[in-house]
């Protein structure tokens, strides 16, 4: 499968490396390709511009910073994204006052909703935004994988496909479909709790588990 990952930071690299290991055809975008060239060569990952990455991907992953996500997607090109699934793993974190961050959108809107409104022909599925990069791609590294991941989105078929890929690619077992894209408000609003836990524990090797 051809996968386009927007963003080449820690999260984008973790996803790209894991998917490439599995034989997927992965391209990541970078504003400074020279800074990731050595890593990409070692990992066997292609590097392209935003538009090249969007044209490459059959499925897209948004691993950009939340405050840059909409602009990055616009630069990627609406025609390159129309009709495609976008796994949105970004969060609207505001670090302008330092740690802990706040959210620059919450309660009555979410980043996931803003992306869906800006790109109505794209199938946005919010997921993987409530944990760190290592656990995203290796849930079995914590408690044998006995913890929960969420999906939110307006397109039922897109959510089903993302849920299938989360299980197939990474081994996720407990996947909860929260409902339409407005439910992304809930998972994005878990981030203030997540950050406080990280600060208390001194590490990020934890995740939420819904017991029912």
């Amino acid at each position: 499968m051809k996968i386009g990952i927007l963003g080449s930071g820690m999260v984008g690299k973790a996803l790209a490396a894991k998917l490439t290991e599995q034989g997927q055809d992965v391209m990541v975008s970078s504003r400074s390709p020279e800074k990731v060239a050595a890593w990409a060569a070692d990992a066997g990952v292609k590097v392209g511009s935003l538009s090249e990455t969007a044209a490459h991907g059959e499925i897209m992953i948004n691993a950009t910073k939340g405050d840059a996500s909409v602009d990055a997607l616009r630069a990627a090109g609406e025609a390159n994204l129309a009709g495609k699934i976008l796994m949105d793993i970004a969060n609207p974190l505001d670090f302008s006052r330092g740690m802990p961050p706040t959210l620059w959108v919450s309660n009555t809107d979410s980043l996931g909703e803003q992306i869906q409104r800006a790109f109505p022909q794209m199938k946005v599925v919010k997921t993987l935004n409530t944990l760190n990069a290592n656990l995203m791609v290796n849930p079995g590294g914590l408690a044998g994988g006995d913890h929960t991941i969420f999906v939110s989105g307006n397109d039922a078929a897109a959510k089903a496909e993302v849920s299938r890929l989360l299980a197939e690619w990474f081994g996720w077992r407990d996947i909860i479909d929260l409902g339409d894209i407005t439910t992304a408000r809930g998972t994005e609003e878990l981030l203030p709790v997540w950050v406080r836990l990280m600060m208390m524990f001194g590490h990020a090797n934890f995740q939420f588990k819904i017991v029912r």
Side-chain angles (χ1 to χ4, degrees), residues 188-200:
E188 290 179 11
E189 288 169 14
L190 284 174
L191 265 293
V193 177
W194 188 93
V195 171
R196 294 287 184 169
L197 288 168
M198 182 190 67
M199 294 170 70
M200 182 186 73

Side-chain angles (χ1 to χ4, degrees), residues 1-5 16 19-20 22-28 46 52-61 80 84-87 161 164-165 168-169:
M1 182 177 288
K2 292 183 176 181
I3 302 164
I5 301 177
L19 292 169
T20 300
Q22 297 179 355
Q24 311 299 341
D25 183 356
V26 181
M27 180 180 286
V28 299
K46 299 173 182 175
E52 289 169 338
T53 302
H56 173 83
E58 298 169 275
I59 288 199
M60 299 299 302
I61 300 175
N80 291 326
K84 294 181 179 179
I85 292 172
L86 176 79
M87 295 171 60
E161 177 67 358
R164 182 186 73 82
L165 293 173
E168 181 180 302
W169 287 345

Side-chain angles (χ1 to χ4, degrees), residues 6-138:
L6 303 181
S8 56
M10 178 177 65
V11 173
K13 286 179 178 176
L15 290 162
K18 180 70 172 183
L19 292 169
T20 300
E21 283 176 11
Q22 297 179 355
Q24 311 299 341
D25 183 356
V26 181
M27 180 180 286
V28 299
S29 68
S30 177
R31 290 176 295 181
S32 304
E34 68 282 358
K35 293 183 179 179
V36 297
W39 164 82
D42 288 343
V45 175
K46 299 173 182 175
V47 180
S49 66
L50 288 165
S51 60
E52 289 169 338
T53 302
H56 173 83
E58 298 169 275
I59 288 199
M60 299 299 302
I61 300 175
N62 175 34
T64 62
K65 292 182 179 179
D67 57 0
S69 290
V70 171
D71 287 343
L73 287 161
R74 286 194 177 117
E78 190 165 0
N80 291 326
L81 298 168
K84 294 181 179 179
I85 292 172
L86 176 79
M87 295 171 60
D88 173 34
I89 62 179
N91 283 302
L93 295 173
D94 179 358
F95 290 95
S96 63
R97 299 181 184 87
M99 286 288 286
T102 56
L103 301 177
W104 49 260
V105 60
S106 62
N107 297 322
T108 58
D109 199 4
S110 66
L111 176 59
E113 289 171 84
Q114 290 185 1
I115 292 172
Q116 185 64 86
R117 285 197 302 271
F119 301 90
Q121 301 304 312
M122 198 165 54
K123 302 168 185 177
V124 179
V125 179
K126 191 82 181 189
T127 192
L128 292 179
N129 67 305
T130 58
L131 71 171
N132 78 348
N134 291 332
L135 289 178
M136 288 179 193
V137 301
N138 182 31

